[in-house]
Amino acid sequence: MAQLLILTSVVDREVLPALSLLSHRARQIPAEPAQLVNTPNCDLIFVDARTDLASARSLCKILTTTGIGVPILLIITEGGLTAVSADWGAADVVLETAGPAEVDTRIRLAIGRQVQDQSTSKIQASGVVIDEASYSARVHGRPLDLTFKEFELLRFFAMHPSRVFTREQLLSEVWGYDYFGGTRTVDVHVRRLRAKLGDLESLIGTVRNVGYRFNFFEDDNERIAATQSK
């Protein structure tokens, strides 16, 4: 059973009749930007686009810009289908006359795709979870306060566990070919990143006279052993 939110200008009437025959919990609120400040938690948002396509499009753009994090489905008439395009940011459309089986299928597929997309945007290695979608990283559940370049460096390391990179390679891959700074900046960022990793600083290992690598540990005992051998 999913928690559904319906944004509509006719909150006193049923927008999608088929929903009343399904077990999902649906709540209707006015389709106004001000209402989005305290949007209730939900798994999916329906936007009523039956009568005002321009307003519905603007509302969809606001939702996607604010990073709402749940799929958007448009409730629309058959005549309005030609106006919908990818830049609306909606995951799918459903006709107002759709039956309960179709509506339920579209809900399940939209939520399923969202969950799948979120899982594929995460990199997990040796206790580190990097969420590329939100540009955040956690170590054993603890959030890391990283700058943009620190995040990019950690992500690059985690994507290539156990592989050794020279400072020049890291500059090229993380900072880009147009970066004119010296390799010293790599050492500075690695040092800061290790400090923020705390007890897991050994995840980023130094290969003498070569560069750095991301150490892949099977378990904490292996990590501790590597730390003690430094």
Side-chain angles (χ1 to χ4, degrees), residues 101-113:
E102 179 182 344
V103 172
D104 186 57
T105 299
R106 293 187 184 278
I107 290 171
R108 288 187 291 102
L109 289 177
I111 294 175
R113 285 193 296 267

Side-chain angles (χ1 to χ4, degrees), residues 25 125 197:
R25 292 183 179 177
L197 287 170

Side-chain angles (χ1 to χ4, degrees), residues 4-220:
L4 310 175
L5 185 65
I6 303 173
L7 302 180
T8 178
S9 58
V10 287
V11 293
D12 58 336
R13 281 182 286 168
E14 204 168 40
V15 177
L16 193 59
L19 280 178
S20 63
L21 301 175
L22 299 172
S23 60
H24 304 299
R25 292 183 179 177
R27 176 179 176 183
Q28 292 186 188
I29 64 173
E32 301 170 358
Q35 293 289 328
L36 304 181
V37 177
N38 296 308
T39 305
N41 290 330
C42 60
D43 301 308
L44 181 145
I45 293 177
F46 279 108
V47 173
D48 184 1
R50 297 172 302 163
T51 58
D52 192 340
L53 289 168
S55 294
R57 182 175 182 272
S58 297
L59 198 60
C60 287
K61 285 186 171 291
I62 292 173
L63 288 168
T64 55
T65 301
T66 55
I68 196 67
V70 299
I72 301 169
L73 262 65
L74 298 175
I75 303 172
I76 201 164
T77 63
E78 190 168 354
L81 287 173
T82 56
V84 181
S85 58
D87 68 345
W88 284 48
D92 202 353
V93 298
V94 59
L95 293 176
E96 61 177 337
T97 55
E102 179 182 344
V103 172
D104 186 57
T105 299
R106 293 187 184 278
I107 290 171
R108 288 187 291 102
L109 289 177
I111 294 175
R113 285 193 296 267
Q114 183 80 5
V115 171
Q116 187 176 35
D117 289 344
Q118 290 175 343
S119 64
T120 55
S121 70
K122 292 182 179 180
I123 303 169
Q124 301 186 43
S126 299
V128 176
V129 178
I130 299 170
D131 190 339
E132 296 179 290
S134 63
Y135 265 81
S136 62
R138 292 177 175 271
V139 174
H140 292 319
R142 174 175 61 88
L144 297 178
D145 183 16
L146 304 177
T147 65
F148 176 75
K149 282 303 179 186
E150 288 167 353
F151 176 86
E152 289 291 300
L153 183 60
L154 179 61
R155 179 174 68 167
F156 183 77
F157 275 133
M159 289 175 66
H160 305 88
S162 303
R163 181 176 168 183
V164 180
F165 291 95
T166 66
R167 292 167 177 80
E168 290 78 10
Q169 287 175 314
L170 291 170
L171 272 178
S172 173
E173 295 291 343
V174 179
W175 278 262
Y177 289 104
D178 57 347
Y179 181 76
F180 294 103
T183 56
R184 177 62 179 166
T185 192
V186 175
D187 297 327
V188 171
H189 279 76
V190 166
R191 184 171 67 249
R192 291 174 179 170
L193 192 52
R194 281 172 171 165
K196 292 181 179 182
L197 287 170
D199 293 340
L200 295 180
E201 64 173 347
S202 58
L203 285 176
I204 302 177
T206 300
V207 180
R208 194 178 301 276
N209 299 323
V210 181
Y212 299 101
R213 71 179 172 199
F214 187 86
N215 292 317
F216 181 80
F217 300 124
E218 294 290 345
D219 52 39
D220 285 342

